[in-house]
Amino acid sequence: MIRYTTAEKVPELTKCFRWFVGLFFLHLFTFWPLVFFAGRGRSDFVVWGIWAALAAVWLATIFFVYRLFRITQSYLVWAYLPFALLPLFDLIALILLCVRSSAELSKLGCEATLFPPRIGAALACLMTLAMGLFFLYGQVSVHLDHAMLKRKGQRIAGTLRMVIKHRTNFIPTGSSFEVEYAGQTKRFSVNRKLLREHTLGDGRFTHHELPVIYLPNRPDVAELPEMLGFSAWSLFPYLIGGVLAYLGGYGLLLQFRKPAAMRSQ
């Protein structure tokens, strides 16, 4: 059996750790979709595609368990394999394999890292940029929908079905109405004025009519007329999204500007 030196064990154990983490998430996003699709009569192509992904997860798990065994030379590593090939138990087995790889690295005085430092920094910047763009896109989409509703929207009588009061950590953060209109139901955020007008003083409400403006060709694009237009609250997503997009983009730019030798570290 091949004997690994300490200098050789560190990169091999790091690779095993990263692969076990990746296989955990790959399995998480293949097994449960398989259960969902198979139980709903979806296309055979989708089901067989997910089965192929599961087979790839199992084959890769066997290969890296073997590599972990070669590095540690411990036959106890093989005890994880039967559980790693059983549905529901395999996620637990992959977590334990991650812990075992990390523990072996700790014995060598090293810390398990999911990504190399440079790649980790670039991914963090990319995620920050994506979050910022998501905030901006969501708010721009709302304003574009409102502009379309003002130009081509039609009024229709909707029926108030439910009043929802939102709380975060027991702190009130707003309210919304669940309104039925044009054969469908949608939730609309409302301000305090609308909340007072359409509810009773003690918090109760009645199933009464209230106007809704919507696009006949896209019924899901709708709004309460009183909520159309600019709101000071819309500045908050723009501010947060702009800051995140700037920080993420600037961080990525710095990563690309670094010398190639430094980026490869």
Side-chain angles (χ1 to χ4, degrees):
M1 183 177 293
I2 299 176
R3 297 280 181 176
Y4 286 86
T5 64
T6 300
E8 294 172 333
K9 284 183 178 181
V10 172
E12 289 295 322
L13 287 170
T14 301
K15 185 181 295 184
C16 288
F17 171 78
R18 291 171 179 170
W19 268 93
F20 288 137
V21 173
L23 290 172
F24 171 85
F25 285 103
L26 181 58
H27 175 78
L28 187 66
F29 294 116
T30 50
F31 176 74
W32 294 109
L34 176 65
V35 174
F36 178 81
F37 286 126
R40 286 161 175 76
R42 300 300 176 93
S43 66
D44 292 338
F45 178 79
V46 173
V47 174
W48 280 110
I50 297 175
W51 269 117
L54 272 176
V57 170
W58 290 331
L59 290 174
T61 301
I62 294 171
F63 176 72
F64 281 97
V65 167
Y66 169 69
R67 292 191 69 163
L68 185 61
F69 162 71
R70 290 180 61 188
I71 299 166
T72 62
Q73 298 183 11
S74 172
Y75 287 94
L76 291 177
V77 172
W78 291 107
Y80 297 104
L81 189 58
F83 298 98
L85 302 179
L86 291 175
L88 301 181
F89 290 97
D90 41 14
L91 291 178
I92 299 175
L94 286 169
I95 292 174
L96 293 176
L97 285 166
C98 293
V99 173
R100 178 61 184 268
S101 303
S102 179
E104 292 293 333
L105 281 167
S106 297
K107 291 179 182 178
L108 300 175
C110 299
E111 183 180 353
T113 56
L114 188 56
F115 300 106
R118 300 296 177 189
I119 295 178
L123 286 175
C125 292
L126 184 61
M127 290 179 63
T128 304
L129 175 62
M131 289 177 62
L133 293 177
F134 176 77
F135 272 98
L136 294 173
Y137 172 77
Q139 199 58 40
V140 169
S141 298
V142 170
H143 285 162
L144 290 177
D145 287 343
H146 281 198
M148 188 69 68
L149 287 169
K150 287 182 178 180
R151 291 199 309 269
K152 300 181 179 180
Q154 294 185 9
R155 286 183 177 249
I156 189 175
T159 303
L160 178 62
R161 292 300 180 189
M162 187 175 296
V163 176
I164 302 102
K165 294 186 177 181
H166 304 284
R167 295 178 181 272
T168 302
N169 296 329
F170 304 104
I171 300 174
T173 56
S175 303
S176 61
F177 288 168
E178 191 171 280
V179 181
E180 183 180 346
Y181 70 97
Q184 62 180 340
T185 302
K186 183 177 178 179
R187 287 187 180 180
F188 300 95
S189 297
V190 296
N191 53 29
R192 293 181 181 179
K193 180 176 178 292
L194 278 174
L195 187 65
R196 288 195 303 267
E197 290 178 353
H198 294 279
T199 58
L200 304 176
D202 54 2
R204 293 181 295 116
F205 67 96
T206 60
H207 298 291
H208 61 275
E209 290 187 354
L210 72 169
V212 176
I213 187 168
Y214 81 114
L215 296 178
N217 59 329
R218 295 172 58 195
D220 58 307
V221 178
E223 188 57 88
L224 301 179
E226 294 86 349
M227 297 298 294
L228 285 176
F230 176 78
S231 170
W233 286 105
S234 63
L235 294 176
F236 182 73
Y238 280 125
L239 177 62
I240 296 299
V243 170
L244 290 177
Y246 172 78
L247 292 176
Y250 184 68
L252 278 177
L253 182 63
L254 289 180
Q255 291 297 319
F256 283 111
R257 281 183 174 178
K258 287 179 180 179
M262 294 183 64
R263 288 201 303 267
S264 62
Q265 290 179 4

